[in-house]
Amino acid sequence: MQEIQQSLIFIIGILLTSGLFYLILYFGFRRKSALLFLSLFCLCQASKAFFRTDAQIAMQTLSISEEQSGFLTGLSYTLGGFFLLAFLLYQFKIRSRGYFLVAAVLFLTIFYICRWPQLPVSLSIGILISLYAFRKERLGAVLSLAGLLIFGAVAYFEIKLINRFGYFVGIIAFIVCMTLFVGFQIREQIRSQKAALVRSTALENQLLKKSLQPHFLFNSLMSLQEWIETKPEDAAQFVQALAEEFRAVCKMSGQKLISIREEIAMCEAHLQIMSYRKHANFILQTEGIDGQEMVPPAIFHTLVENGLTHGFAERSCGGFLLRKRKLEDGLTYELFNDGSNQSLAANASNGTGLKYVEARLEESFPGQWALRSIAQEKGWLVQIRLKDV
């Protein structure tokens, strides 16, 4: 008895450490749901080992009956199976995973009430999910499959060879495989972020040069010279708008995220400048935005500038609409302009501007974004989708 207790205490320590480790990763890496489910899986298995009746650890520590200990063991076992399947479904981004989780709850509840063996079916479903992920070339599918097969094989030997700890040895082997996978994933994410940072820094410098380019300044100063003599009030307003845009561009340099209120103010200043220069009327409207959202600097400013350059070359008026929509797994920003979609379509995938936007999104939301440019009947729409935000 003493030997069994010592072995299980050691196993409980490993499982608790693993559970806390994944919980820390969950809060430290954008609260990825898969990491939370993996943490709960480890904690449930630690609970199962703690309440195991043959070791009597919980019975002696908490002074509970054997019946209560058996009930809590079975409950931990069932919840562990659920969190295992939830982890795999979310890790490999299986479609309609919500329906699968509801089915898993029903299935595990029935098996728990009827006292049918749950492990073979849970492992079989997990292996099928991993095989599907392998077919779709999802990162980590091979390690997941290897871990589940080792888990199942060692648990089988526990039954056939009466090895008291085969089940937990299999769990630890699976956790080791998943730890390796998460380590690779974090390493690739860090590499991707560093590469995106280098790209965005280089592109940011190009945008700063573009905003301060001699051609832009020359045209602006020539317009200003004319207005000083003929329309002093317009000249004063133009200087103010020009100063606001330059101030915002300089302020955002080096920042990873800024409030969308600052971003909108920079866009409005640019539209005001271009309205003066082209003797036109360009406006920006917003919808569903509270002003506190954080976005990479100058992404919407860049898209507005692209829209003006390619969609309003020969137009004296135009409008932009920036709209935010909440989704179940994140949100979408939509920037619509009523400019010429033919000219925009010809330049939709080229230029420093869009490359800058993509680099900034990857730097701030690695692997969690999507950018689409779509021709509309009366204009052009750019969608930026952010997942788990």
Side-chain angles (χ1 to χ4, degrees):
M1 177 71 69
Q2 187 69 22
E3 183 181 348
I4 295 176
Q5 287 184 347
Q6 291 177 350
S7 299
L8 282 177
I9 289 172
F10 177 70
I11 290 171
I12 290 170
I14 294 175
L15 293 172
L16 283 176
T17 302
S18 301
L20 292 175
F21 170 71
Y22 286 115
L23 191 61
I24 292 171
L25 284 182
Y26 166 72
F27 286 106
F29 285 86
R30 304 187 180 280
R31 302 197 176 189
K32 189 177 180 181
S33 299
L35 292 174
L36 177 62
F37 288 130
L38 186 56
S39 171
L40 293 173
F41 169 73
C42 295
L43 295 177
C44 283
Q45 299 306 326
S47 175
K48 180 180 183 299
F50 178 72
F51 290 112
R52 190 163 163 166
T53 54
D54 60 349
Q56 299 184 3
I57 298 175
M59 295 166 63
Q60 295 175 4
T61 305
L62 304 178
S63 300
I64 61 176
S65 66
E66 183 175 347
E67 182 179 0
Q68 290 173 323
S69 183
F71 168 76
L72 293 172
T73 301
L75 182 61
S76 301
Y77 179 68
T78 302
L79 289 175
F82 170 77
F83 289 128
L84 172 63
L85 295 178
F87 161 70
L88 295 171
L89 288 169
Y90 275 82
Q91 180 60 51
F92 298 123
K93 300 178 181 178
I94 305 300
R95 292 183 178 179
S96 304
R97 50 183 174 262
Y99 295 107
F100 283 109
L101 289 179
V102 172
V105 169
L106 295 175
F107 146 71
L108 291 172
T109 301
I110 294 173
F111 272 58
Y112 176 75
I113 295 173
C114 298
R115 298 184 180 278
W116 294 340
Q118 302 173 23
L119 184 61
V121 181
S122 296
L123 283 177
S124 298
I125 296 174
I127 289 171
L128 288 175
I129 294 173
S130 298
L131 287 172
Y132 174 80
F134 176 75
R135 182 183 175 188
K136 295 292 184 179
E137 299 181 351
R138 303 281 169 80
L139 184 65
V142 174
L143 280 172
S144 172
L145 186 60
L148 290 172
L149 290 174
I150 295 172
F151 183 10
V154 178
Y156 174 79
F157 288 135
E158 177 182 0
I159 299 172
K160 294 299 181 181
L161 303 178
I162 316 179
N163 180 348
R164 290 180 179 273
F165 307 112
Y167 174 84
F168 292 107
V169 171
I171 289 175
I172 292 172
F174 173 73
I175 292 173
V176 169
C177 290
M178 291 301 94
T179 302
L180 289 172
F181 164 54
V182 171
F184 292 143
Q185 194 175 39
I186 292 174
R187 184 188 66 180
E188 291 303 315
Q189 182 175 337
I190 292 174
R191 285 182 177 178
S192 177
Q193 284 182 305
K194 286 183 178 179
L197 180 59
V198 172
R199 291 195 304 270
S200 64
T201 301
L203 291 167
E204 179 181 296
N205 291 332
Q206 292 182 29
L207 280 181
L208 286 171
K209 292 178 181 178
K210 184 177 181 181
S211 297
L212 301 172
Q213 62 179 307
H215 179 71
F216 176 80
L217 287 175
F218 177 77
N219 288 338
S220 298
L221 292 174
M222 290 299 294
S223 300
L224 179 61
Q225 183 181 16
E226 178 184 348
W227 292 330
I228 288 176
E229 298 175 356
T230 59
K231 300 179 180 178
E233 293 183 1
D234 289 351
Q237 293 177 1
F238 179 78
V239 170
Q240 183 178 356
L242 194 63
E244 287 179 1
E245 181 175 13
F246 285 164
R247 186 185 302 114
V249 170
C250 293
K251 183 180 177 181
M252 70 88 181
S253 178
Q255 294 191 46
K256 186 175 181 179
L257 293 171
I258 63 172
S259 72
I260 201 167
R261 186 191 303 109
E262 296 176 282
E263 178 76 10
I264 291 172
M266 185 162 55
C267 293
E268 290 175 338
H270 186 73
L271 289 174
Q272 188 176 4
I273 291 169
M274 299 308 294
S275 294
Y276 279 117
R277 280 187 47 186
K278 292 191 172 187
H279 304 286
N281 182 29
F282 300 123
I283 60 171
L284 172 65
Q285 296 177 308
T286 61
E287 184 179 309
I289 293 175
D290 57 33
Q292 303 302 316
E293 300 89 340
M294 302 300 289
V295 296
I299 59 170
F300 294 118
H301 177 273
T302 302
L303 295 175
V304 166
E305 190 177 28
N306 280 356
L308 286 173
T309 302
H310 303 296
F312 297 94
E314 300 177 359
R315 296 273 297 275
S316 60
C317 65
F320 291 80
L321 173 62
L322 179 59
R323 177 170 49 204
K324 184 184 78 172
R325 293 183 177 180
K326 293 184 178 180
L327 307 173
E328 292 184 2
D329 59 346
L331 56 89
T332 295
Y333 289 105
E334 297 180 344
L335 180 64
F336 172 80
N337 71 69
D338 56 5
S340 170
N341 54 29
Q342 292 182 353
S343 179
L344 283 164
N347 295 275
S349 59
N350 299 316
T352 301
L354 285 180
K355 291 179 181 178
Y356 170 81
V357 173
E358 292 172 349
R360 276 298 195 181
L361 290 171
E362 181 60 27
E363 176 195 359
S364 301
F365 311 103
Q368 302 296 311
W369 61 275
L371 175 66
R372 296 176 61 200
S373 294
I374 310 165
Q376 303 285 289
E377 183 179 351
K378 296 182 179 180
W380 192 264
L381 179 68
V382 178
Q383 289 183 334
I384 298 177
R385 181 174 181 179
L386 303 178
K387 299 179 181 178
D388 301 323
V389 175

